[in-house]
């Protein structure tokens, strides 16, 4: 399967990450699934929060407990988190495919790397690496 | 008046029976129950709720010595939560109401928590400051009456319970994080290090993502990984984290009781089970002559008693719902009134 690096961003502070997230609006369009990969505290939820703010959505918070958050404005954004999922059958049980196969929504999946096989082959992967001084390196890959 | 409460918004399946002010049953599904009915079921499945609601109802009825036909009102959680599990409980409640020809109320899960202090003998007095602290929520609210709630602030990122879980994982303590952090903190030194506490534009907002990252950095910088930390080191980091996680809640109580005419303080939700938090809040209450109400453990986590109670409260205030009520995964943005002057 093809996995092309299409964007990289070196961010020195939250403002720069926010700018990058908002710019991705032209790439992450309705119908896409974006798997977010990065350690605890790397800024996955922050990225989605800033991305969604470009659509006027202000109520983004962590979906770790809820598993799925749905945000609605003129654009519907689905924010999923696999962190608390113990086995793949739990994803079937919550009806994961109803969320993943909707041409009108933009889907973000935190910890998507825990169950990559359940995600569509054609997707984006966004890797966030944090380094010292709170700097971040963000890489966006296009798959499939 | 006998009210049946049904709660299925997330992991727990729960059925409660409330007769006027007296709680007759509050059955919460446990692993034991899973074993008794249907073997191993995935924790998060709608099917698990579906398998549990009927046996739980039977158990609640027999424990209360009440017959199904004696029930006057059925109250079920409609949201927020996971849509699949919510639909199970809500549809079950609506079907019961329809078949038994009883009144029905759809209850907001968070409102259930907010008024859960009224399940206690010592009830809060209006207006009260309510802190909703759980795995999914962190809210500071001014509860003026049975229908008026003003939002002072909330988390801008992670919920406090989530921070406990994730820090427990960073320290390699296991799951669920709340009780484990509490246990390890007991022997640890809370002054071992100072994790930063966020200062936000709205002093009633919370942020717990930064503390989590600070703990991660602290472990990386001092020990490389939690695997080579010894017990005392883990206990110290846990205690220092717990102190930093609780402090913003205490600060909120101090600020709110100075700014507003607050009669009581009520701490609700899963994190209200934390012993250190309970002690600190009780102490603060004593210093400031405030009535502190923290529901007992069984009402801290998700439970149907609070749903029955809130349903009954709404019913007595004249609220009636029809059977077209639908489940909702997120709270409507205008659920609470915003504080005047707050942008």
């Amino acid at each position: 399967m093809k996995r092309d690096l299409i964007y990289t961003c070196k961010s020195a502070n939250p403002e720069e990450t926010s700018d990058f997230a908002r710019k991705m609006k032209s790439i992450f369009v309705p119908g896409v699934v974006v798997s977010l990969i990065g350690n605890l505290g790397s800024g996955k939820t922050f990225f989605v929060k800033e991305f969604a703010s470009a659509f006027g959505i202000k109520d983004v918070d962590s979906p770790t407990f809820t598993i799925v958050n749905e945000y609605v404005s003129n654009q519907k954004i689905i924010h999923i988190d696999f962190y608390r999922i113990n086995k793949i059958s739990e994803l079937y049980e919550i009806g994961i495919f109803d969320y993943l196969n909707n041409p009108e929504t933009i889907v973000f999946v935190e910890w998507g790397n825990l169950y990559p096989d359940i995600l569509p082959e054609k997707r984006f992967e966004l890797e966030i690496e944090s380094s010292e001084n709170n700097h971040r390196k963000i890489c966006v890959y296009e798959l499939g | 008046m006998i009210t049946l409460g049904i709660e299925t918004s997330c992991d727990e399946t729960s059925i409660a029976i409330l007769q006027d002010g007296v709680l007759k049953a509050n059955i919460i599904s446990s692993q034991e129950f899973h074993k008794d009915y249907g073997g191993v079921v995935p924790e998060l499945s709608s099917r698990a709720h579906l398998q549990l609601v009927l046996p739980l109802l039977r158990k609640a009825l027999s424990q209360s010595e009440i017959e199904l036909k004696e029930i006057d009102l059925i109250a079920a959680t409609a949201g927020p939560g996971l849509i699949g599990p919510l639909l199970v409980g809500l549809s079950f409640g609506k079907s019961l109401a329809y078949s038994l020809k009883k009144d029905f109320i759809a209850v907001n899960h968070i409102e259930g928590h907010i008024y859960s202090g009224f399940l206690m003998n010592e009830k809060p007095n209006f207006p009260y400051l309510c802190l909703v602290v759980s795995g999914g929520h962190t809210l500071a609210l001014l509860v003026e009456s049975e229908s008026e709630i003003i939002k002072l602030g909330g988390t801008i990122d992670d919920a406090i319970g989530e921070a406990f879980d994730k820090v427990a994982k960073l320290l390699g303590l296991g799951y669920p994080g709340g009780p484990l952090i509490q246990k390890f903190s007991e022997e640890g030194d809370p002054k071992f290090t100072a994790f930063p506490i966020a200062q936000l534009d709205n002093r009633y907002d919370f942020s717990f993502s930064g503390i989590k990252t600070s703990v991660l950095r602290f472990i990386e910088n001092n020990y490389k990984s939690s695997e080579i930390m010894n017990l005392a080191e883990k206990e110290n980091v846990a205690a220092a984290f717990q102190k930093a996680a609780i402090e913003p809640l205490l600060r909120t109580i101090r600020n709110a009781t100075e700014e507003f005419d607050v009669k009581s303080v009520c701490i609700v939700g899963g994190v209200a089970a934390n012993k250190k938090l309970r002690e600190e809040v009780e102490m603060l209450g004593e210093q400031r002559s405030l009535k502190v109400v923290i529901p007992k453990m069984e009402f801290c986590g998700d439970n149907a008693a609070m749903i029955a109670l809130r349903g009954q409260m709404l019913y007595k205030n004249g609220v009636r719902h029809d059977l077209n009520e639908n489940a909702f995964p997120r709270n409507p943005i205008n659920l609470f009134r915003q504080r005047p002057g707050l942008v």
Side-chain angles (χ1 to χ4, degrees):
Chain A
M1 194 172 55
K2 206 159 64 83
R3 188 176 191 262
D4 297 329
L5 179 63
I6 56 168
Y7 284 99
T8 57
C9 161
K10 282 199 172 127
S11 162
N13 53 51
E15 289 72 31
E16 288 180 26
T17 306
S18 174
D19 284 345
F20 180 71
R22 288 162 159 269
K23 276 186 198 139
M24 294 312 286
K25 198 178 163 182
S26 59
I27 310 296
F28 300 157
V29 294
V32 309
V33 173
V34 183
S35 172
L36 297 166
I37 302 168
N39 284 331
L40 280 178
S42 58
K44 297 179 291 298
T45 302
F46 182 77
F47 182 90
V48 177
K49 193 184 186 84
E50 296 307 304
F51 178 88
S53 73
F55 295 93
I57 296 169
K58 289 181 183 155
D59 62 332
V60 174
D61 50 25
S62 169
T64 296
F65 184 75
T66 50
I67 315 291
V68 182
N69 286 350
E70 293 187 33
Y71 312 120
V72 184
S73 68
N74 50 4
Q75 173 60 52
K76 190 169 176 182
I77 295 176
I78 302 287
H79 188 187
I80 307 177
D81 194 338
F82 285 176
Y83 180 83
R84 214 163 64 91
I85 301 291
N86 297 310
K87 46 181 184 269
I88 206 160
S89 60
E90 293 182 351
L91 289 171
Y92 298 133
E93 292 287 347
I94 66 163
I96 186 79
F97 294 118
D98 294 340
Y99 294 111
L100 292 178
N101 299 319
N102 188 334
E104 284 164 15
T105 61
I106 304 169
V107 181
F108 288 96
V109 186
E110 296 198 25
W111 296 94
N113 49 319
L114 294 180
Y115 301 97
D117 296 340
I118 209 163
L119 299 174
E121 275 194 13
K122 198 172 159 45
R123 64 175 184 268
F124 292 96
E125 286 185 352
L126 188 138
E127 287 184 0
I128 310 178
E129 258 181 61
S130 55
S131 52
E132 277 174 36
N133 314 321
N134 263 334
H135 286 217
R136 298 287 191 276
K137 186 182 172 206
I138 305 173
C139 295
V140 181
Y141 299 88
E142 187 171 10
L143 279 75
Chain B
M1 177 179 190
I2 301 176
T3 306
L4 177 76
I6 303 167
E7 156 66 32
T8 61
S9 65
C10 202
D11 297 353
E12 259 74 58
T13 318
S14 179
I15 302 269
I17 293 173
L18 185 70
Q19 184 164 22
D20 301 311
V22 182
L23 186 65
K24 295 293 209 177
N26 182 36
I27 319 272
I28 303 167
S29 70
S30 61
Q31 284 306 316
E32 280 307 300
F33 217 85
H34 283 239
K35 264 185 240 147
D36 288 351
Y37 300 90
V40 183
V41 258
E43 206 183 343
L44 295 164
S45 80
S46 318
R47 202 169 51 192
H49 288 291
L50 200 54
Q51 285 172 337
L52 289 168
V53 280
L54 263 178
L56 281 171
L57 173 64
R58 289 196 193 100
K59 194 169 171 183
L61 288 169
S62 70
Q63 190 181 314
S64 334
E65 296 177 339
I66 281 173
E67 283 185 57
L68 197 53
K69 59 173 192 263
E70 293 179 76
I71 287 166
D72 303 297
L73 174 68
I74 289 155
T77 305
L82 273 169
I83 195 75
L86 282 169
L87 281 169
V88 172
L90 187 67
S91 309
F92 182 57
K94 290 198 286 190
S95 317
L96 277 174
Y98 180 74
S99 60
L100 299 167
K101 298 189 177 62
K102 304 292 182 181
D103 285 313
F104 174 77
I105 299 271
V107 174
N108 181 299
H109 176 83
I110 296 304
E111 290 185 1
H113 276 301
I114 292 167
Y115 293 100
S116 61
F118 288 92
L119 289 164
M120 304 296 288
N121 291 333
E122 275 293 310
K123 299 181 195 325
N125 302 106
F126 294 116
Y128 64 87
L129 173 71
C130 184
L131 299 184
V132 184
V133 285
S134 69
H137 301 275
T138 313
L139 287 165
L141 306 164
L142 201 56
V143 186
E144 301 213 299
S145 68
E146 293 185 356
S147 56
E148 283 282 286
I149 303 168
I150 297 170
K151 181 176 172 180
L152 301 178
T155 182
I156 60 160
D157 39 57
D158 296 0
I160 182 168
E162 178 178 348
F164 272 84
D165 277 340
K166 287 190 169 165
V167 167
K169 177 138 183 174
L170 288 173
L171 287 170
L173 307 183
Y175 184 88
L180 287 163
I181 293 277
Q182 175 179 308
K183 185 167 151 257
F184 277 73
S185 295
E186 276 167 14
E187 301 296 319
D189 174 13
K191 296 203 177 78
F192 177 65
T193 180
F195 293 117
I197 293 161
Q199 299 287 340
L200 301 160
D201 292 344
N202 170 9
R203 62 180 185 159
Y204 296 112
D205 274 344
F206 304 95
S207 166
F208 291 101
S209 185
I211 303 180
K212 174 186 73 185
T213 312
S214 312
V215 174
L216 175 71
R217 294 277 172 278
F218 187 83
I219 295 171
E220 279 174 356
N221 294 340
N222 293 284
Y223 314 100
K224 288 260 191 262
S225 119
S226 67
E227 281 160 34
I228 53 165
M229 288 173 79
N230 65 33
L231 179 65
E233 288 163 345
K234 285 186 181 185
E235 286 171 345
N236 287 336
V237 172
F241 160 74
Q242 183 173 265
K243 181 174 189 282
I246 289 175
E247 177 48 35
L249 305 179
L250 302 175
R251 186 179 67 191
T252 301
I253 298 172
R254 287 193 291 265
N255 288 337
T257 50
E258 275 159 27
E259 185 172 347
F260 306 100
D261 172 34
V262 170
K263 297 277 191 293
S264 319
V265 173
C266 204
I267 317 284
V268 301
V271 178
N274 182 282
K275 227 161 79 185
K276 186 76 187 157
L277 174 64
R278 294 174 94 101
E279 283 169 16
E280 296 275 352
V281 175
E282 296 282 357
M283 213 151 69
L284 198 57
E286 232 163 82
Q287 285 166 8
R288 306 197 166 209
S289 310
L290 278 165
K291 187 174 183 180
V292 172
V293 179
I294 307 177
K296 61 177 180 178
M297 301 294 183
E298 122 180 61
F299 306 136
C300 284
D302 291 347
N303 66 87
M306 66 183 194
I307 302 303
L309 180 107
R310 179 60 181 157
Q312 196 178 76
M313 193 185 269
L314 288 169
Y315 187 86
K316 286 183 172 166
N317 289 333
V319 176
R320 301 287 184 278
H321 289 148
D322 66 24
L323 299 182
N324 293 318
E325 284 295 322
N326 214 342
F328 55 93
R330 301 271 293 173
N331 266 333
I333 237 153
N334 57 357
L335 175 68
F336 307 117
R337 259 175 50 208
Q338 294 295 323
R339 187 155 62 103
L342 192 73
V343 252

